[in-house]
Amino acid sequence: MKRFILVIIMMISALGVYSFKNNAMDAKKTSYASYYHDKFNGRKTASGEIFDNAKFTAANRTLPFGTNIRVTNLNNGKEVIVKINDRGPFHASRALDMSKAAFDEIGDISHGTIPVEYEIVD
């Protein structure tokens, strides 16, 4: 009987940790975003897709490929939804490299980076 109770307690604990991790992934995060240079058009991304600066895509170091995220420009409140299809950026102060079309939708491409908030959407 004691083993049965111990197993139940362990299962509840494991589910609690799993639930906490899922909620942490869904939280809004703030950082900076930049955009891809045109020279990357036509090249293969880390996911295997061919990069197109006209599509609404982005790179992130940790989010799974195919994840859709809502990116909000903190300067003007404009939003865009992009799909993660690449890894990067490889600069410590930025969390996202966006396609030029997605960046232009919420910001001014004459500026190299913008402060953003991003969250996973279903």
Side-chain angles (χ1 to χ4, degrees), residues 36-37 40-45 49-53 57 99:
Y36 281 87
H37 190 276
F40 293 104
N41 270 327
R43 292 188 184 176
K44 202 179 265 193
T45 64
E49 292 181 30
I50 301 300
F51 178 71
D52 183 351
N53 239 341
T57 59
S99 65

Side-chain angles (χ1 to χ4, degrees), residues 45-105:
T45 64
S47 69
E49 292 181 30
I50 301 300
F51 178 71
D52 183 351
N53 239 341
K55 293 183 178 178
F56 285 23
T57 59
N60 180 270
R61 289 183 292 277
T62 58
L63 291 172
F65 296 135
T67 302
N68 289 316
I69 60 171
R70 176 182 297 114
V71 182
T72 305
N73 182 334
L74 294 176
N75 289 334
N76 61 20
K78 292 182 179 180
E79 299 178 345
V80 67
I81 294 179
V82 296
K83 181 180 81 170
I84 301 298
N85 72 341
D86 202 6
R87 290 291 172 236
F90 300 106
H91 191 279
S93 69
R94 294 191 299 265
L96 298 171
D97 267 338
M98 300 170 61
S99 65
K100 193 178 258 186
F103 191 94
D104 193 40
E105 187 78 11

Side-chain angles (χ1 to χ4, degrees), residues 5-62:
I5 293 172
L6 183 60
V7 169
I8 297 295
I9 290 171
M10 288 174 41
M11 289 174 57
I12 292 171
S13 297
L15 290 174
V17 170
Y18 175 76
S19 170
F20 177 75
K21 285 183 180 178
N22 280 349
N23 290 337
M25 283 287 292
D26 293 341
K28 291 182 181 179
K29 297 178 182 165
T30 56
S31 187
Y32 285 87
S34 56
Y35 64 92
Y36 281 87
H37 190 276
D38 288 331
K39 71 180 179 180
F40 293 104
N41 270 327
R43 292 188 184 176
K44 202 179 265 193
T45 64
S47 69
E49 292 181 30
I50 301 300
F51 178 71
D52 183 351
N53 239 341
K55 293 183 178 178
F56 285 23
T57 59
N60 180 270
R61 289 183 292 277
T62 58

